[in-house]
Coordinates of all heavy atoms in Angstrom, one line a residue:
M1 N -1.9 11.8 8.3 CA -2.0 10.7 9.2 C -1.3 9.5 8.5 O -1.4 9.3 7.3 CB -3.4 10.4 9.4 CG -3.6 9.1 10.3 SD -5.3 8.8 10.8 CE -6.0 8.2 9.4
I2 N -0.5 8.7 9.2 CA 0.1 7.6 8.7 C -0.7 6.4 9.1 O -1.0 6.1 10.2 CB 1.6 7.5 9.2 CG1 2.4 8.6 8.6 CG2 2.2 6.1 8.7 CD1 3.8 8.7 9.0
A3 N -1.1 5.6 8.0 CA -1.9 4.4 8.3 C -1.1 3.2 7.9 O -0.5 3.1 6.9 CB -3.2 4.5 7.4
N4 N -1.1 2.2 8.8 CA -0.4 0.9 8.6 C -1.4 -0.2 8.4 O -2.3 -0.4 9.2 CB 0.5 0.6 9.8 CG 1.6 1.6 9.9 OD1 2.5 1.6 9.0 ND2 1.6 2.3 11.0
Y5 N -1.3 -0.9 7.3 CA -2.2 -2.0 7.0 C -1.4 -3.3 6.8 O -0.4 -3.3 6.0 CB -3.0 -1.8 5.7 CG -3.8 -0.5 5.7 CD1 -3.3 0.7 5.1 CD2 -5.0 -0.4 6.3 CE1 -4.0 1.8 5.1 CE2 -5.7 0.8 6.3 CZ -5.2 1.9 5.7 OH -5.9 3.0 5.7
G6 N -1.7 -4.3 7.5 CA -1.0 -5.6 7.4 C -1.0 -6.4 8.6 O -1.9 -6.3 9.5
Y7 N 0.0 -7.2 8.8 CA 0.1 -8.2 9.9 C 1.5 -8.7 10.1 O 2.4 -8.4 9.3 CB -0.8 -9.4 9.5 CG -0.4 -10.1 8.3 CD1 0.4 -11.3 8.4 CD2 -0.7 -9.7 7.0 CE1 0.9 -11.9 7.3 CE2 -0.3 -10.3 5.9 CZ 0.5 -11.5 6.0 OH 0.9 -12.1 4.9
T8 N 1.7 -9.3 11.2 CA 2.9 -10.0 11.6 C 2.6 -11.4 11.8 O 1.6 -11.8 12.5 CB 3.5 -9.4 12.9 OG1 3.8 -8.0 12.7 CG2 4.8 -10.1 13.3
D9 N 3.5 -12.3 11.3 CA 3.3 -13.7 11.5 C 4.7 -14.3 11.7 O 5.7 -13.6 11.8 CB 2.5 -14.5 10.5 CG 3.2 -14.5 9.1 OD1 4.4 -14.2 9.0 OD2 2.5 -14.9 8.1
G10 N 4.8 -15.7 11.8 CA 6.1 -16.3 12.1 C 7.1 -16.1 11.0 O 8.3 -16.2 11.3
S11 N 6.7 -15.7 9.8 CA 7.7 -15.5 8.7 C 8.1 -14.0 8.6 O 9.0 -13.7 7.8 CB 7.1 -16.0 7.4 OG 6.0 -15.2 7.0
G12 N 7.4 -13.1 9.3 CA 7.9 -11.7 9.2 C 6.7 -10.7 9.4 O 5.6 -11.1 9.8
E13 N 7.1 -9.5 9.1 CA 6.1 -8.4 9.2 C 5.8 -8.0 7.7 O 6.7 -7.7 6.9 CB 6.7 -7.2 9.9 CG 6.9 -7.5 11.4 CD 7.4 -6.3 12.1 OE1 7.8 -5.3 11.5 OE2 7.5 -6.4 13.4
Y14 N 4.5 -7.8 7.5 CA 4.0 -7.5 6.2 C 3.0 -6.3 6.3 O 1.9 -6.5 6.6 CB 3.3 -8.7 5.5 CG 4.2 -9.9 5.4 CD1 4.2 -10.9 6.4 CD2 5.2 -10.0 4.4 CE1 5.0 -12.0 6.4 CE2 6.1 -11.1 4.4 CZ 6.0 -12.0 5.4 OH 6.8 -13.1 5.3
F15 N 3.5 -5.1 6.0 CA 2.7 -3.9 6.2 C 2.9 -3.0 5.0 O 4.0 -2.9 4.4 CB 3.1 -3.1 7.4 CG 2.7 -3.8 8.7 CD1 3.5 -4.6 9.4 CD2 1.4 -3.5 9.2 CE1 3.1 -5.2 10.6 CE2 1.0 -4.1 10.4 CZ 1.9 -5.0 11.1
I16 N 1.8 -2.4 4.6 CA 1.8 -1.3 3.6 C 1.5 -0.1 4.4 O 0.5 0.0 5.1 CB 0.8 -1.5 2.5 CG1 1.2 -2.7 1.6 CG2 0.7 -0.3 1.6 CD1 0.2 -3.0 0.5
T17 N 2.3 0.9 4.3 CA 2.2 2.1 5.1 C 1.8 3.2 4.1 O 2.5 3.4 3.0 CB 3.5 2.5 5.8 OG1 3.8 1.4 6.7 CG2 3.3 3.8 6.6
I18 N 0.7 4.0 4.4 CA 0.3 5.0 3.5 C 0.2 6.3 4.3 O -0.5 6.4 5.4 CB -1.1 4.7 2.9 CG1 -1.1 3.4 2.1 CG2 -1.6 5.9 2.1 CD1 -2.4 2.9 1.7
D19 N 0.9 7.3 3.9 CA 0.8 8.6 4.5 C -0.3 9.4 3.8 O -0.2 9.9 2.8 CB 2.1 9.4 4.3 CG 2.1 10.7 5.1 OD1 1.1 11.2 5.5 OD2 3.3 11.2 5.5
T20 N -1.5 9.3 4.5 CA -2.7 9.8 3.9 C -2.7 11.4 3.7 O -3.5 11.9 2.9 CB -4.0 9.4 4.7 OG1 -3.9 9.9 6.0 CG2 -4.1 7.9 4.7
S21 N -1.8 12.1 4.4 CA -1.7 13.5 4.2 C -1.2 13.8 2.8 O -1.6 14.8 2.2 CB -0.8 14.2 5.2 OG 0.5 13.7 5.1
F22 N -0.4 12.9 2.2 CA 0.1 13.1 0.8 C -1.1 12.8 -0.2 O -1.0 13.3 -1.3 CB 1.3 12.2 0.5 CG 2.5 12.6 1.2 CD1 3.4 11.7 1.7 CD2 2.8 13.9 1.4 CE1 4.5 12.0 2.4 CE2 4.0 14.3 2.0 CZ 4.9 13.4 2.5
C23 N -2.0 12.0 0.2 CA -3.2 11.7 -0.7 C -4.0 12.9 -1.0 O -4.6 13.0 -2.0 CB -4.1 10.6 -0.1 SG -3.4 9.0 0.0
L24 N -3.9 13.9 -0.1 CA -4.7 15.1 -0.3 C -4.1 15.9 -1.5 O -4.9 16.5 -2.3 CB -4.6 16.0 0.9 CG -5.2 15.5 2.2 CD1 -4.9 16.5 3.3 CD2 -6.7 15.5 2.0
E25 N -2.8 15.7 -1.8 CA -2.2 16.4 -2.9 C -2.5 15.7 -4.3 O -2.4 16.3 -5.3 CB -0.7 16.4 -2.7 CG -0.2 17.1 -1.5 CD 1.2 16.9 -1.2 OE1 2.0 16.4 -2.1 OE2 1.7 17.2 -0.1
C26 N -2.9 14.4 -4.2 CA -3.1 13.6 -5.4 C -4.5 13.7 -5.9 O -5.5 13.5 -5.1 CB -2.8 12.2 -5.1 SG -3.0 11.1 -6.5
K27 N -4.7 14.0 -7.1 CA -6.1 14.1 -7.7 C -6.4 12.9 -8.6 O -7.5 12.6 -8.9 CB -6.2 15.4 -8.5 CG -6.0 16.6 -7.7 CD -6.9 16.7 -6.5 CE -6.6 18.0 -5.7 NZ -7.0 17.9 -4.4
S28 N -5.3 12.1 -9.0 CA -5.5 11.0 -9.9 C -5.8 9.7 -9.3 O -6.4 8.8 -9.8 CB -4.3 10.9 -10.8 OG -3.2 10.4 -10.1
H29 N -5.2 9.5 -8.0 CA -5.4 8.2 -7.3 C -5.0 7.1 -8.2 O -5.7 6.1 -8.3 CB -6.8 8.1 -6.7 CG -7.1 9.2 -5.8 ND1 -6.5 9.4 -4.6 CD2 -8.1 10.1 -5.9 CE1 -7.0 10.5 -4.0 NE2 -8.0 10.9 -4.8
S30 N -3.9 7.2 -8.9 CA -3.5 6.2 -9.9 C -3.0 4.9 -9.2 O -2.9 3.9 -9.9 CB -2.3 6.8 -10.7 OG -1.3 7.2 -9.9
C31 N -2.7 4.9 -7.9 CA -2.3 3.7 -7.2 C -3.4 2.6 -7.3 O -3.1 1.4 -7.4 CB -2.0 4.0 -5.8 SG -3.3 4.8 -4.8
V32 N -4.7 3.1 -7.3 CA -5.8 2.1 -7.3 C -5.8 1.3 -8.6 O -5.9 0.1 -8.6 CB -7.1 2.9 -7.2 CG1 -8.3 1.9 -7.3 CG2 -7.2 3.5 -5.8
S33 N -5.6 2.0 -9.7 CA -5.6 1.3 -11.0 C -4.3 0.6 -11.3 O -4.2 -0.3 -12.1 CB -6.0 2.2 -12.2 OG -5.1 3.3 -12.2
A34 N -3.2 1.1 -10.7 CA -1.9 0.5 -11.0 C -1.7 -0.8 -10.4 O -0.9 -1.7 -10.9 CB -0.8 1.5 -10.5
C35 N -2.3 -1.1 -9.3 CA -2.2 -2.4 -8.6 C -2.9 -3.5 -9.4 O -4.1 -3.5 -9.5 CB -2.7 -2.3 -7.2 SG -2.6 -3.9 -6.3
P36 N -2.1 -4.5 -9.9 CA -2.8 -5.5 -10.7 C -3.7 -6.5 -9.8 O -4.5 -7.1 -10.3 CB -1.6 -6.3 -11.3 CG -0.4 -5.9 -10.5 CD -0.7 -4.6 -9.9
Q37 N -3.5 -6.5 -8.5 CA -4.3 -7.3 -7.6 C -5.5 -6.6 -7.0 O -6.3 -7.2 -6.3 CB -3.4 -7.8 -6.5 CG -2.2 -8.6 -6.9 CD -2.5 -9.8 -7.8 OE1 -3.5 -10.5 -7.5 NE2 -1.8 -10.0 -8.8
G38 N -5.6 -5.3 -7.2 CA -6.7 -4.5 -6.7 C -6.7 -4.3 -5.2 O -7.8 -4.3 -4.6
V39 N -5.5 -4.2 -4.7 CA -5.4 -4.0 -3.2 C -5.9 -2.7 -2.7 O -6.4 -2.7 -1.6 CB -3.9 -4.2 -2.8 CG1 -3.6 -3.9 -1.4 CG2 -3.4 -5.7 -3.1
F40 N -5.8 -1.7 -3.4 CA -6.1 -0.3 -2.9 C -7.5 0.1 -3.3 O -8.1 -0.3 -4.3 CB -5.1 0.7 -3.5 CG -3.7 0.4 -3.1 CD1 -2.8 -0.2 -4.0 CD2 -3.2 0.7 -1.8 CE1 -1.5 -0.5 -3.6 CE2 -1.9 0.4 -1.4 CZ -1.1 -0.2 -2.3
E41 N -8.0 1.0 -2.4 CA -9.3 1.7 -2.7 C -9.2 3.1 -2.1 O -8.3 3.4 -1.3 CB -10.4 1.0 -2.0 CG -10.4 0.9 -0.5 CD -11.5 0.2 0.1 OE1 -12.5 -0.2 -0.5 OE2 -11.4 -0.1 1.4
I42 N -10.0 4.0 -2.6 CA -10.1 5.4 -2.1 C -11.3 5.4 -1.1 O -12.4 5.0 -1.5 CB -10.2 6.4 -3.2 CG1 -9.1 6.3 -4.2 CG2 -10.4 7.8 -2.7 CD1 -7.7 6.5 -3.6
I43 N -11.0 5.9 0.1 CA -12.0 6.0 1.1 C -12.1 7.5 1.5 O -11.3 8.3 1.2 CB -11.7 5.1 2.3 CG1 -10.4 5.6 3.0 CG2 -11.7 3.7 2.0 CD1 -10.1 5.0 4.4
T44 N -13.1 7.8 2.3 CA -13.2 9.1 2.9 C -12.6 9.0 4.3 O -13.1 8.2 5.1 CB -14.7 9.6 2.9 OG1 -15.1 9.6 1.6 CG2 -14.8 11.0 3.5
D45 N -11.6 9.8 4.6 CA -11.0 9.7 5.9 C -11.8 10.4 7.0 O -12.9 10.9 6.7 CB -9.5 10.2 5.9 CG -9.4 11.7 5.6 OD1 -10.4 12.4 5.7 OD2 -8.3 12.1 5.4
D46 N -11.2 10.4 8.2 CA -11.9 11.1 9.3 C -12.2 12.5 9.2 O -13.0 13.1 9.9 CB -11.1 10.8 10.6 CG -11.0 9.4 11.0 OD1 -11.9 8.6 10.5 OD2 -10.1 9.0 11.8
Y47 N -11.5 13.2 8.2 CA -11.6 14.6 8.0 C -12.4 14.9 6.7 O -12.3 16.0 6.1 CB -10.2 15.2 7.9 CG -9.4 15.0 9.1 CD1 -8.4 14.0 9.2 CD2 -9.7 15.7 10.3 CE1 -7.7 13.8 10.3 CE2 -9.0 15.4 11.5 CZ -8.0 14.5 11.5 OH -7.3 14.2 12.6
D48 N -13.1 13.9 6.2 CA -14.0 14.0 5.0 C -13.1 14.3 3.7 O -13.6 15.0 2.8 CB -15.1 15.0 5.2 CG -16.1 14.5 6.2 OD1 -16.3 13.3 6.3 OD2 -16.7 15.4 6.8
E49 N -11.9 13.8 3.7 CA -11.0 13.9 2.6 C -10.8 12.6 1.9 O -10.8 11.5 2.6 CB -9.7 14.5 3.0 CG -9.8 15.9 3.7 CD -10.1 17.0 2.7 OE1 -10.0 16.8 1.5 OE2 -10.5 18.1 3.1
P50 N -10.6 12.5 0.6 CA -10.3 11.2 0.0 C -8.9 10.7 0.3 O -8.0 11.6 0.4 CB -10.4 11.5 -1.5 CG -10.2 13.0 -1.6 CD -10.7 13.6 -0.3
A51 N -8.7 9.5 0.6 CA -7.4 8.9 1.0 C -7.3 7.5 0.5 O -8.3 6.8 0.4 CB -7.2 9.0 2.5
C52 N -6.2 7.1 0.2 CA -5.9 5.7 -0.2 C -5.9 4.8 1.0 O -5.5 5.1 2.1 CB -4.6 5.6 -0.9 SG -4.2 4.0 -1.6
S53 N -6.4 3.6 0.8 CA -6.5 2.6 1.8 C -6.3 1.2 1.2 O -6.5 1.0 0.0 CB -7.9 2.6 2.5 OG -8.0 1.6 3.5
V54 N -5.9 0.2 2.1 CA -5.8 -1.2 1.6 C -7.1 -1.8 1.9 O -7.7 -1.6 3.0 CB -4.7 -1.9 2.3 CG1 -4.7 -3.4 2.0 CG2 -3.3 -1.3 2.0
K55 N -7.7 -2.5 1.0 CA -9.0 -3.1 1.2 C -9.0 -4.1 2.3 O -8.0 -4.8 2.5 CB -9.5 -3.8 -0.1 CG -9.8 -2.9 -1.2 CD -10.2 -3.7 -2.5 CE -10.5 -2.8 -3.7 NZ -10.7 -3.6 -4.9
E56 N -10.0 -4.1 3.1 CA -10.1 -4.9 4.3 C -9.8 -6.4 4.0 O -9.2 -7.1 4.7 CB -11.5 -4.8 4.9 CG -11.7 -5.5 6.2 CD -11.0 -5.0 7.4 OE1 -10.9 -3.8 7.5 OE2 -10.5 -5.8 8.2
S57 N -10.3 -6.9 2.9 CA -10.2 -8.3 2.5 C -8.8 -8.7 2.2 O -8.4 -9.9 2.3 CB -11.1 -8.6 1.3 OG -10.7 -7.8 0.2
F58 N -7.9 -7.7 2.0 CA -6.5 -8.0 1.7 C -5.5 -7.8 2.9 O -4.3 -8.2 2.8 CB -6.0 -7.2 0.5 CG -6.7 -7.5 -0.8 CD1 -7.3 -6.5 -1.5 CD2 -6.7 -8.8 -1.3 CE1 -7.9 -6.8 -2.7 CE2 -7.3 -9.1 -2.5 CZ -7.9 -8.1 -3.2
R59 N -5.9 -7.2 3.9 CA -5.0 -6.7 5.0 C -4.3 -7.9 5.7 O -3.2 -7.7 6.2 CB -5.8 -5.9 6.0 CG -6.2 -4.6 5.4 CD -7.0 -3.7 6.3 NE -7.6 -2.6 5.6 CZ -8.3 -1.7 6.2 NH1 -8.7 -1.8 7.5 NH2 -8.8 -0.7 5.5
K60 N -4.9 -9.0 5.8 CA -4.2 -10.2 6.5 C -3.6 -11.1 5.5 O -3.2 -12.2 5.9 CB -5.3 -10.9 7.3 CG -5.9 -10.0 8.4 CD -4.9 -9.6 9.4 CE -5.5 -8.8 10.5 NZ -4.6 -8.2 11.4
Q61 N -3.4 -10.8 4.3 CA -2.8 -11.7 3.3 C -1.9 -10.9 2.3 O -1.7 -11.4 1.2 CB -3.8 -12.5 2.6 CG -4.9 -11.7 2.0 CD -6.0 -12.6 1.4 OE1 -5.7 -13.7 0.9 NE2 -7.2 -12.1 1.3
L62 N -1.3 -9.8 2.7 CA -0.5 -9.0 1.8 C 0.7 -9.7 1.2 O 1.0 -9.6 0.1 CB 0.0 -7.7 2.6 CG -1.1 -6.7 2.9 CD1 -0.5 -5.6 3.7 CD2 -1.7 -6.2 1.6
S63 N 1.4 -10.6 2.0 CA 2.5 -11.3 1.4 C 2.1 -12.2 0.3 O 2.9 -12.4 -0.6 CB 3.3 -12.1 2.5 OG 2.5 -13.2 3.0
Y64 N 0.9 -12.7 0.3 CA 0.5 -13.6 -0.8 C -0.1 -12.8 -1.9 O 0.2 -13.0 -3.1 CB -0.6 -14.5 -0.3 CG -0.1 -15.4 0.9 CD1 -0.6 -15.1 2.2 CD2 0.8 -16.4 0.7 CE1 -0.2 -15.9 3.2 CE2 1.2 -17.1 1.8 CZ 0.8 -16.9 3.0 OH 1.2 -17.6 4.1
V65 N -0.9 -11.8 -1.6 CA -1.6 -11.0 -2.7 C -0.5 -10.1 -3.4 O -0.6 -10.0 -4.6 CB -2.6 -10.0 -2.0 CG1 -3.2 -9.1 -3.0 CG2 -3.7 -10.9 -1.4
C66 N 0.5 -9.6 -2.7 CA 1.5 -8.8 -3.4 C 2.6 -9.5 -4.0 O 3.5 -9.0 -4.7 CB 2.0 -7.8 -2.4 SG 0.9 -6.6 -1.8
S67 N 2.6 -10.9 -3.9 CA 3.7 -11.7 -4.4 C 4.0 -11.6 -5.9 O 5.1 -11.7 -6.3 CB 3.6 -13.1 -3.9 OG 2.5 -13.7 -4.5
P68 N 2.9 -11.4 -6.7 CA 3.2 -11.2 -8.2 C 4.2 -10.0 -8.5 O 5.0 -10.1 -9.4 CB 1.9 -11.0 -8.8 CG 0.9 -11.7 -7.9 CD 1.5 -11.5 -6.5
C69 N 4.0 -9.0 -7.7 CA 4.9 -7.8 -7.9 C 6.1 -7.8 -7.1 O 7.2 -7.3 -7.4 CB 4.1 -6.5 -7.6 SG 2.7 -6.2 -8.7
K70 N 6.0 -8.5 -5.9 CA 7.1 -8.5 -4.9 C 7.3 -10.0 -4.6 O 7.0 -10.4 -3.5 CB 6.7 -7.7 -3.7 CG 7.8 -7.3 -2.8 CD 7.3 -6.3 -1.8 CE 8.4 -6.1 -0.8 NZ 8.5 -4.7 -0.5
P71 N 8.0 -10.7 -5.4 CA 8.0 -12.2 -5.3 C 8.8 -12.7 -4.1 O 8.5 -13.8 -3.6 CB 8.6 -12.7 -6.6 CG 9.3 -11.5 -7.2 CD 8.6 -10.3 -6.7
A72 N 9.9 -12.1 -3.7 CA 10.7 -12.6 -2.6 C 11.3 -11.5 -1.8 O 11.4 -10.4 -2.2 CB 11.9 -13.4 -3.3
R73 N 11.6 -11.8 -0.5 CA 12.2 -10.9 0.4 C 13.5 -10.3 -0.2 O 13.7 -9.1 -0.1 CB 12.5 -11.5 1.7 CG 11.3 -11.7 2.5 CD 11.7 -12.3 3.8 NE 10.6 -12.0 4.7 CZ 10.7 -11.8 6.0 NH1 11.8 -11.8 6.6 NH2 9.6 -11.5 6.7
K74 N 14.3 -11.1 -0.7 CA 15.6 -10.7 -1.2 C 15.6 -10.5 -2.7 O 16.5 -10.7 -3.4 CB 16.7 -11.7 -0.9 CG 16.8 -12.1 0.6 CD 17.5 -11.0 1.3 CE 17.7 -11.5 2.8 NZ 18.0 -10.5 3.7
S75 N 14.5 -10.0 -3.2 CA 14.3 -9.8 -4.6 C 15.2 -8.8 -5.2 O 15.6 -7.8 -4.5 CB 12.8 -9.3 -4.9 OG 12.7 -9.0 -6.3
S76 N 15.6 -9.0 -6.4 CA 16.5 -8.0 -7.1 C 15.7 -6.8 -7.6 O 16.3 -5.8 -8.1 CB 17.2 -8.7 -8.3 OG 16.3 -9.1 -9.2
V77 N 14.4 -6.8 -7.5 CA 13.6 -5.7 -7.9 C 13.5 -4.7 -6.8 O 13.1 -4.9 -5.7 CB 12.2 -6.1 -8.3 CG1 11.3 -5.0 -8.6 CG2 12.2 -7.2 -9.4
P78 N 14.1 -3.4 -7.0 CA 14.0 -2.4 -6.0 C 12.6 -2.0 -5.7 O 11.7 -2.1 -6.6 CB 14.7 -1.2 -6.6 CG 15.5 -1.7 -7.8 CD 14.8 -3.0 -8.2
P79 N 12.2 -1.7 -4.4 CA 10.9 -1.4 -4.1 C 10.3 -0.2 -4.9 O 9.1 -0.2 -5.1 CB 10.9 -1.0 -2.6 CG 12.3 -1.4 -2.1 CD 13.1 -1.6 -3.3
T80 N 11.1 0.7 -5.4 CA 10.6 1.8 -6.1 C 10.0 1.4 -7.5 O 9.4 2.1 -8.2 CB 11.7 2.9 -6.4 OG1 12.8 2.2 -7.0 CG2 12.1 3.5 -5.1
F81 N 10.3 0.1 -7.9 CA 9.8 -0.4 -9.2 C 8.5 -1.1 -9.0 O 7.9 -1.6 -10.0 CB 10.8 -1.3 -9.9 CG 12.0 -0.5 -10.4 CD1 13.3 -0.9 -10.1 CD2 11.8 0.6 -11.2 CE1 14.4 -0.2 -10.6 CE2 12.9 1.3 -11.7 CZ 14.2 0.9 -11.4
L82 N 7.9 -1.2 -7.8 CA 6.6 -1.8 -7.7 C 5.6 -0.9 -8.3 O 5.6 0.3 -8.1 CB 6.4 -2.1 -6.2 CG 7.3 -3.0 -5.5 CD1 7.0 -3.0 -4.0 CD2 7.3 -4.4 -6.1
P83 N 4.6 -1.5 -8.9 CA 3.6 -0.6 -9.6 C 2.9 0.4 -8.7 O 2.7 1.5 -9.1 CB 2.6 -1.7 -10.2 CG 3.3 -2.9 -10.3 CD 4.3 -2.9 -9.2
C84 N 2.5 0.0 -7.5 CA 1.8 0.9 -6.6 C 2.7 2.0 -6.2 O 2.3 3.2 -6.1 CB 1.3 0.1 -5.4 SG 2.6 -0.7 -4.4
I85 N 4.0 1.8 -5.9 CA 4.9 2.8 -5.5 C 5.3 3.7 -6.6 O 5.3 4.9 -6.5 CB 6.2 2.2 -4.8 CG1 5.8 1.5 -3.5 CG2 7.2 3.3 -4.6 CD1 6.9 0.8 -2.8
Q86 N 5.5 3.1 -7.8 CA 5.8 3.9 -9.0 C 4.7 4.8 -9.4 O 4.9 5.9 -9.9 CB 6.2 2.9 -10.1 CG 7.1 3.5 -11.1 CD 7.6 2.4 -12.1 OE1 6.9 1.5 -12.4 NE2 8.8 2.5 -12.5
S87 N 3.5 4.4 -9.2 CA 2.3 5.2 -9.7 C 2.0 6.3 -8.7 O 1.3 7.3 -9.1 CB 1.1 4.3 -9.9 OG 0.6 3.8 -8.6
C88 N 2.4 6.2 -7.5 CA 2.1 7.2 -6.4 C 3.1 8.4 -6.6 O 4.2 8.3 -6.0 CB 2.2 6.6 -5.1 SG 1.8 7.7 -3.7
L89 N 2.7 9.4 -7.2 CA 3.5 10.5 -7.5 C 3.9 11.3 -6.2 O 4.9 12.0 -6.2 CB 2.9 11.5 -8.5 CG 2.6 10.8 -9.9 CD1 1.9 11.8 -10.8 CD2 3.8 10.3 -10.5
S90 N 3.0 11.2 -5.2 CA 3.3 11.9 -4.0 C 4.2 11.1 -3.0 O 4.5 11.5 -1.9 CB 2.0 12.3 -3.3 OG 1.2 11.2 -3.0
R91 N 4.5 9.8 -3.4 CA 5.3 8.9 -2.6 C 4.7 8.6 -1.2 O 5.4 8.6 -0.2 CB 6.8 9.5 -2.4 CG 7.5 9.7 -3.8 CD 7.7 8.4 -4.4 NE 8.4 8.6 -5.7 CZ 8.0 8.0 -6.8 NH1 6.9 7.3 -6.9 NH2 8.6 8.2 -8.0
A92 N 3.5 8.4 -1.2 CA 2.8 8.1 0.1 C 2.8 6.6 0.5 O 2.5 6.3 1.6 CB 1.3 8.6 -0.1
I93 N 3.1 5.7 -0.4 CA 3.0 4.3 -0.2 C 4.4 3.7 0.0 O 5.4 4.0 -0.7 CB 2.4 3.6 -1.4 CG1 1.0 4.1 -1.6 CG2 2.3 2.1 -1.2 CD1 0.3 3.6 -2.9
K94 N 4.5 2.9 1.1 CA 5.7 2.1 1.4 C 5.4 0.7 1.8 O 4.3 0.5 2.4 CB 6.5 2.8 2.5 CG 7.0 4.2 2.2 CD 7.8 4.7 3.3 CE 8.5 6.0 2.8 NZ 7.9 7.2 3.3
H95 N 6.3 -0.2 1.5 CA 6.1 -1.6 2.0 C 7.2 -1.9 3.0 O 8.3 -1.4 2.9 CB 6.3 -2.6 0.8 CG 5.3 -2.5 -0.2 ND1 4.5 -3.6 -0.5 CD2 4.9 -1.6 -1.1 CE1 3.6 -3.3 -1.4 NE2 3.9 -2.1 -1.8
T96 N 6.9 -2.7 4.0 CA 7.9 -3.0 5.1 C 8.7 -4.3 4.8 O 9.7 -4.5 5.5 CB 7.3 -3.2 6.4 OG1 6.4 -4.3 6.4 CG2 6.5 -1.9 6.9
W97 N 8.3 -5.1 3.9 CA 9.1 -6.3 3.6 C 9.8 -6.3 2.3 O 9.5 -5.6 1.4 CB 8.2 -7.5 3.8 CG 7.2 -7.8 2.7 CD1 7.4 -8.8 1.7 CD2 6.0 -7.2 2.4 NE1 6.3 -8.8 0.9 CE2 5.4 -7.8 1.2 CE3 5.3 -6.1 2.9 CZ2 4.2 -7.4 0.7 CZ3 4.1 -5.7 2.4 CH2 3.6 -6.3 1.3

């Protein structure tokens, strides 16, 4: 299942997309500890399997919370160098901005 967490406002669309079917393959859930802002958590999905999720308290402020790792839209840092994406060995996490 593909889960989209985030929001759209006047400045753009800010979503973190997680393909939770890839979370089934992951046993380390290193994305949780890799995020310096603590955005991620492991939940039990609808099929009683562990899956990565964006914490409810961060879903409407991702552009601000993620800014230490992703400081600008036109940043010279490629998305693959973000700590959350780099730590996800199954490549389940993507950012839209």
Side-chain angles (χ1 to χ4, degrees):
M1 176 172 77
I2 295 180
N4 292 295
Y5 303 100
Y7 61 97
T8 301
D9 66 12
S11 65
E13 294 183 351
Y14 304 96
F15 287 92
I16 292 178
T17 302
I18 302 172
D19 188 336
T20 59
S21 63
F22 290 141
C23 290
L24 294 173
E25 300 170 13
C26 178
K27 301 301 178 206
S28 68
H29 302 295
S30 57
C31 57
V32 175
S33 59
C35 178
Q37 302 302 318
V39 170
F40 300 101
E41 65 183 345
I42 301 300
I43 60 165
T44 303
D45 67 10
D46 295 340
Y47 304 102
D48 292 328
E49 299 288 346
C52 182
S53 174
V54 173
K55 291 178 183 175
E56 182 73 36
S57 60
F58 294 127
R59 292 179 187 177
K60 299 294 183 190
Q61 52 183 335
L62 289 176
S63 67
Y64 304 107
V65 174
C66 294
S67 65
C69 297
K70 194 173 179 138
R73 286 182 158 214
K74 305 282 185 195
S75 174
S76 61
V77 177
T80 55
F81 290 129
L82 298 175
C84 58
I85 293 174
Q86 205 170 35
S87 70
C88 181
L89 300 178
S90 61
R91 302 292 179 232
I93 300 172
K94 294 185 172 105
H95 292 245
T96 61
W97 76 103

